Amino acid sequence: MSIKAAKASDRTGEADLHGRSAANMHRRGACPALAAPMPTGDGLLVRLRPTGGALTLSQFASLARSAAAHGNGILEITARGNLQIRGLRAETVGQLAADIDAAGIIIPEGPAIETSPLHGIDPEEISDAAAMEMALRSTLPDLLASPQLAPKLSLVLDGGGSFDLSAVSADIRVVAQSHRDWLVAINGDGETAMPVAIGPAETAISAVGEILSLLATLGQGRRARDIDPALLRARFPAMDGIPFNPSRAAPLAGSHRLADGKIILGVRPEFGQMRASDLVALLDLAKARGAAAIRLSPGRGFFLIGLSADTVPAMQVAAARHGFSTQPGENTEHIATCAGAGACGSAFYETRTLARRLIAAAPALFDGSLTLHLSGCAKGCAHARPALTLTGSAEGYGLILNGLAADLPDERIAGGRIDFAIERLARTIEDNKDAGESTAACLTRLGATGVSKALRQE
């Protein structure tokens, strides 16, 4: 994506936004970048990935002020650690782009490449993910820019360290194994991806090029999961012998001390959404207490870098006052919500409103053993993996015990019965959970039949 292109569009009137880009603006599956914002229920949405996910406090505050001036003042951080600005209009997208340029924020051309959130500052980082991104972009510019690649093609560069990208699923993931070697895997996260190649940076970059070539040959919209295994093995004959060590990501929220003694504070807006005024207020306080930088992070949050240990408690209190979570283990960590009705034209219910009711009425759901996915429609934008899912539809809600928003519901719930269903589900778990049993295990044991029976009882 090019900011200059977006600015040029603004200078030449709205012909580009209403003409050439109009197809992208309305095309399902297109990433809502500055050059092709996405229409939603509250206006246009753009998604940004600053270089390395890194911002100064002043840059982040400038983005927030611009979001208030040119949008509706609502910003979001996605599950993948990207930034979204909501409520824009066709005539204000170019103004936002100008503000981004003026703040010195660089948005790389081409597809977003996600890197480890603490790259370059984490002493436990195995290898330099930012340098690998530069090498990939300089070696494979034509392939990365190919119009045949899917708009939402995801590429992850994980240098390891205290906070890696294990929880982030990707079409292509490149993971540091040592200071010399990188593992290339496809179609999955840190536990499920399939390894195809391992070796020094040159080998890894070549493997990424091979995969991109395969995807481009398959045609636009195809993802890594669509590659024929036989074709993959023909390109990577040694892939079956590559060892793969599954890994799990560390929690974002809370105060963390790095190996060199530096303190970072993980901050999560409630359900990943924040108002510009709250963000600016928090950043002003953080700057006054010595914070110097921001790193956007998977898990719908960001890290404040540069605080001293004695300032952290006051920052945590201030963050909570402005609607941010800085404590690990809060119930909101276990809920994935999309924008919901009012913000998205496709959504059938207000996801965040329902999330707050669930936290109050069904505490049994939040023992940390499962993720609750509240999806306003069957697209499932907020969570790409199986979960306890509540999907909105014109008829009401679909409850899926362990699946995706698009899956066939295990139980259908009429809109007016959702509060009753929540209370009944919570009571069923409390009444049936064995000593030491998790909520996830209890629901699995009860199964669809047991849960459906409980929800239908008066």
Side-chain angles (χ1 to χ4, degrees):
M1 176 189 64
S2 168
I3 292 179
K4 287 182 169 52
K7 290 179 70 177
S9 167
D10 187 57
R11 285 195 300 268
T12 56
E14 297 179 14
D16 192 50
L17 280 171
H18 291 293
R20 180 177 54 82
S21 294
N24 286 335
M25 289 171 67
H26 295 276
R27 180 159 56 94
R28 289 292 178 197
C31 286
L34 269 172
M38 176 188 293
T40 65
D42 57 353
L44 298 178
L45 175 146
V46 299
R47 183 177 301 143
L48 309 172
R49 176 73 184 177
T51 299
L55 295 164
T56 66
L57 271 71
S58 296
Q59 286 174 332
F60 205 9
S62 293
L63 268 178
R65 294 188 182 97
S66 188
H70 307 308
N72 61 9
I74 294 177
L75 300 93
E76 296 171 329
I77 303 178
T78 71
R80 306 184 72 87
N82 297 316
L83 186 65
Q84 295 186 160
I85 296 176
R86 305 193 68 93
L88 296 157
R89 303 183 305 280
E91 64 270 20
T92 64
V93 174
Q95 296 164 352
L96 172 68
D99 287 350
I100 290 173
D101 276 351
I105 299 169
I106 298 174
I107 312 295
E109 300 270 354
I113 296 178
E114 292 146 19
T115 53
S116 312
L118 300 184
H119 63 83
I121 59 176
D122 184 355
E124 295 184 44
E125 186 178 38
I126 298 171
S127 197
D128 190 344
M132 175 58 92
E133 178 181 2
M134 291 179 62
L136 271 173
R137 290 192 183 277
S138 63
T139 306
L140 307 173
D142 293 338
L143 278 172
L144 287 169
S146 172
Q148 296 305 311
L149 296 178
K152 286 191 174 182
L153 181 79
S154 52
L155 205 160
V156 158
L157 299 180
D158 190 345
S162 305
F163 294 90
D164 59 26
L165 299 177
S166 301
V168 179
S169 182
D171 289 283
I172 306 171
R173 58 188 312 109
V174 184
V175 184
Q177 303 296 289
S178 66
H179 291 297
R180 176 181 179 274
D181 287 338
W182 295 81
L183 173 75
V184 180
I186 66 167
N187 190 32
D189 57 21
E191 294 185 88
T192 62
M194 178 187 298
V196 298
I198 190 169
E202 295 79 7
T203 300
I205 292 171
S206 176
V208 172
E210 288 281 342
I211 297 165
L212 292 175
S213 295
L214 281 172
L215 290 170
T217 300
L218 288 175
Q220 193 173 47
R222 307 303 287 274
R223 307 293 292 271
R225 60 178 174 265
D226 299 316
I227 300 175
D228 187 320
L231 184 58
L232 195 65
R233 284 179 170 81
R235 296 285 186 103
F236 301 102
M239 59 180 285
D240 290 329
I242 298 173
F244 182 61
N245 300 313
S247 55
R248 289 182 176 271
L252 162 68
S255 175
H256 311 279
R257 185 182 295 273
L258 301 182
D260 59 0
K262 292 179 181 177
I263 300 294
I264 60 172
L265 182 62
V267 179
R268 295 179 71 250
E270 186 183 42
F271 309 122
Q273 189 177 89
M274 54 199 159
R275 293 195 173 275
S277 55
D278 288 320
L279 177 58
V280 170
L282 179 70
L283 294 173
D284 286 345
L285 289 168
K287 188 173 183 179
R289 287 169 171 78
I294 295 290
R295 291 295 180 89
L296 302 175
S297 174
R300 297 184 172 85
F302 57 89
F303 290 108
L304 283 169
I305 313 297
L307 294 169
S308 58
D310 60 328
T311 66
V312 167
M315 275 305 305
Q316 290 177 310
V317 171
R321 191 165 62 244
H322 290 287
F324 296 88
S325 170
T326 59
Q327 300 290 347
E330 293 194 6
N331 289 341
T332 54
E333 286 186 13
H334 307 296
I335 304 180
T337 70
C338 65
C344 176
S346 299
F348 288 94
Y349 70 96
E350 295 181 0
T351 53
R352 292 178 174 91
T353 299
L354 185 58
R356 296 183 187 101
R357 280 155 52 196
L358 278 160
I359 290 173
L365 290 173
F366 303 103
D367 66 349
S369 65
L370 55 78
T371 294
L372 178 61
H373 179 194
L374 302 184
S375 184
C377 72
K379 289 188 295 182
C381 299
H383 194 72
R385 289 182 289 179
L388 176 61
T389 301
L390 202 59
T391 302
S393 71
E395 293 75 35
Y397 303 84
L399 179 66
I400 301 150
L401 290 183
N402 184 30
L404 305 177
D407 290 346
L408 188 68
D410 295 305
E411 180 67 15
R412 296 187 186 276
I413 304 165
R417 289 178 58 84
I418 187 61
D419 287 333
F420 168 83
I422 290 169
E423 293 172 5
R424 178 65 66 181
L425 181 62
R427 191 178 309 159
T428 299
I429 294 168
E430 291 166 354
D431 291 346
N432 288 276
K433 195 190 308 188
D434 293 334
E437 187 178 33
S438 70
T439 294
C442 176
L443 289 173
T444 299
R445 178 169 54 79
L446 290 172
T449 301
V451 170
S452 294
K453 181 179 179 181
L455 293 182
R456 294 178 185 184
Q457 290 177 351
E458 296 292 343

